[in-house]
Amino acid sequence: MHNIEITVTFLLWITTSWRATKDWKDRRNRALWWTFLGLSMMMTLRLAPGKYLDQITGITDLSYLLKHLFGGVLASAALLDFLQGVSGKTDRTTAMRKLRVALPLGTAVSMSALFFAKLQPYETVAIYQDVTAHLALLSYTVIFLGFLSVSLLSGVQVCWHWGRESGNGMLGWGLRIIGVGLAAGVLYSAVRIAALFSRFRGDGILPGDQDDLVATLLLLTALFLIVVGSTLPVLDRLRSWRKERQDLFRLRPLWKDLTQSVPSIRLDPPRSALAEHLDPRHVKNRLYRRTVEIRDAALALNDHAAPEVRTRAREHVATAGLIGTQAETAAEACRLASARRSRLRGESSSPQPHQPSGGGRDLHSEIRALTQLSEAFYSDLTRAFVDATEPSAPSPLLETQR
């Protein structure tokens, strides 16, 4: 069990550290970071650092109070605030907003007052023999677990409702898993309260220390499910990031060749392929910029493709048996390849009333269209067209670009 607690604590601190860079700047997600900070502190104080804190402060079971304040009050209040934000529910009145702050604050103050009113070790026989101390402990536990249960039950309701509303995507399943974790937390509270009341009779709800074991298992289950559920939606973003990154590199050859002939349209100097692969930042913005620069280069090259070149390109792809959108994309690739060669040879241009075909209505469809254009641009069909229109003596400028 000790190793499991250490593993869960380690996972919580990893999640907290990762979300510190991800969520802190986003005010909407900041509450989730506070949740994981509270849970991480709670689990840490359950281990050796908690006992060490008690020793160096000289306050008996200070770690007992702090782990409840961090893990029970702070974490549950922050998680409920985050879930309210995710679901789009807001407090409609000023009184409700004040209650959301006053309730956890009042709980923390009440717990602290009861704790310091009777500084006796929690896990000793003396506290059960002293009626005043026992009642103080009972009141402390009821206040703490009562607040925790109400918060968790509210969270369960939000998670299950909006998990269904969000469908079967990662967000929907993530909310459902968090809801199951919060339900395990409610069971943990119920076991703790039942065990405490049963000790008025001198025994627990289960033989020996099995009630503590069951409660600990429920707590660890709740924490693990909360970590998994809150991390699951990240897989969607990670998958999108991976797809955008693949598209970015897939369009690199077309972007490089077209902008090589029109370098003025590049916003930034070109980087090596290795430097691009090693840079994981701003992938979506870089991809968007790449699509813009490809289209800008195609517009600039438009004036280097005479009407007869376009006509020959259409005839060329028709001879190959292509029809419809596939034929339009192939003809566009032939025209661009020929225009690029013409510009690199330094030939004069003339304005042409022609717009590139096959553009998308949004970034997703635009990437798909440009990917198809890139495949056609480097096809044997396009190379055959360019070779057929290539002058017998290419210019030195074109030779240096090869």
Side-chain angles (χ1 to χ4, degrees):
M1 183 63 69
H2 183 69
N3 292 335
I4 297 177
E5 291 189 27
I6 293 176
T7 301
V8 172
T9 305
F10 182 67
L11 289 175
L12 284 170
W13 277 115
I14 289 178
T15 306
T16 302
S17 302
W18 170 66
R19 288 194 173 276
T21 59
K22 175 181 176 295
D23 292 338
W24 187 251
K25 295 181 180 180
D26 189 346
R27 190 173 182 179
R28 297 170 300 177
N29 294 335
R30 197 173 297 173
L32 189 59
W33 180 83
W34 281 110
T35 300
F36 281 105
L37 176 66
L39 295 177
S40 300
M41 290 295 297
M42 178 193 70
M43 289 302 299
T44 302
L45 292 170
R46 287 173 59 92
L47 302 174
K51 297 179 181 179
Y52 182 69
L53 177 66
D54 295 342
Q55 292 173 359
I56 62 175
T57 61
I59 301 176
T60 305
D61 284 343
L62 177 62
S63 60
Y64 178 79
L65 171 65
L66 291 180
K67 72 181 180 181
H68 288 165
L69 293 180
F70 275 109
V73 179
L74 173 64
S76 60
L79 181 60
L80 185 58
D81 182 69
F82 170 74
L83 293 174
Q84 293 279 356
V86 169
S87 65
K89 297 174 63 177
T90 57
D91 297 320
R92 298 181 180 180
T93 64
T94 303
M96 287 297 297
R97 287 192 293 269
K98 290 182 178 179
L99 182 62
R100 288 274 300 279
V101 176
L103 189 58
L105 183 60
T107 301
V109 171
S110 300
M111 290 169 57
S112 300
L114 288 168
F115 177 84
F116 286 107
K118 198 69 176 179
L119 291 179
Q120 292 190 38
Y122 171 66
E123 294 180 344
T124 60
V125 178
I127 201 167
Y128 292 102
Q129 294 175 346
D130 187 327
V131 176
T132 303
H134 198 174
L135 288 175
L137 175 62
L138 184 61
S139 300
Y140 173 99
T141 307
V142 169
I143 291 173
F144 165 60
L145 294 180
F147 171 80
L148 180 63
S149 299
V150 170
S151 299
L152 295 182
L153 284 172
S154 300
V156 170
Q157 183 182 10
V158 172
C159 285
W160 280 104
H161 175 72
W162 289 101
R164 292 194 303 269
E165 291 290 330
S166 301
N168 292 322
M170 292 295 184
L171 176 59
W173 281 110
L175 287 171
R176 292 185 183 99
I177 291 174
I178 292 176
V180 175
L182 297 181
V186 174
L187 292 177
Y188 160 82
S189 299
V191 170
R192 283 299 189 197
I193 291 176
L196 184 62
F197 274 100
S198 68
R199 286 182 182 178
F200 269 115
R201 304 190 308 269
D203 56 1
I205 57 175
L206 295 173
D209 60 350
Q210 291 186 25
D211 51 352
D212 287 333
L213 178 62
V214 171
T216 301
L217 287 174
L218 287 170
L219 175 62
L220 295 178
T221 300
L223 294 176
F224 179 75
L225 291 176
I226 290 172
V227 170
V228 172
S230 61
T231 306
L232 201 58
V234 178
L235 297 179
D236 262 345
R237 292 193 289 271
L238 182 61
R239 184 168 55 187
S240 297
W241 176 86
R242 181 174 178 271
K243 177 64 169 56
E244 290 164 355
R245 183 177 167 85
Q246 289 176 339
D247 291 332
L248 180 71
F249 298 133
R250 190 177 291 116
L251 292 178
R252 177 182 166 84
L254 180 64
W255 167 82
K256 182 180 178 182
D257 284 344
L258 293 187
T259 60
Q260 188 180 54
S261 60
V262 196
S264 60
I265 60 95
R266 290 171 176 165
L267 180 64
D268 299 310
R271 297 188 295 173
S272 67
L274 178 60
E276 278 210 79
H277 275 82
L278 294 178
D279 186 0
R281 303 169 300 167
H282 314 302
V283 172
K284 188 170 186 176
N285 291 338
R286 289 158 58 193
L287 177 60
Y288 175 75
R289 184 64 203 175
R290 179 149 295 176
T291 62
V292 170
E293 292 183 355
I294 289 174
R295 287 303 185 187
D296 286 348
L299 285 172
L301 292 173
N302 179 62
D303 294 341
H304 288 270
E308 56 269 20
V309 173
R310 302 188 192 104
T311 301
R312 290 173 60 186
R314 287 193 293 269
E315 294 173 349
H316 180 72
V317 299
T319 303
L322 301 182
I323 59 175
T325 303
Q326 190 177 15
E328 292 180 6
T329 302
E332 181 75 6
C334 291
R335 182 192 68 81
L336 281 176
S338 178
R340 174 180 176 273
R341 290 294 184 97
S342 174
R343 184 177 177 89
L344 290 175
R345 284 194 297 266
E347 297 177 358
S348 59
S349 60
S350 59
Q352 303 294 333
H354 177 75
Q355 296 292 330
S357 62
R361 294 174 296 179
D362 52 30
L363 182 60
H364 179 72
S365 57
E366 176 72 349
I367 291 171
R368 185 170 61 249
L370 289 179
T371 300
Q372 294 170 352
L373 178 63
S374 178
E375 293 173 354
F377 188 86
Y378 296 105
S379 66
D380 293 337
L381 183 67
T382 301
R383 280 193 289 269
F385 177 80
V386 173
D387 291 342
T389 57
E390 184 76 10
S392 57
S395 70
L397 177 61
L398 181 58
E399 288 296 321
T400 60
Q401 299 289 342
R402 291 181 175 178

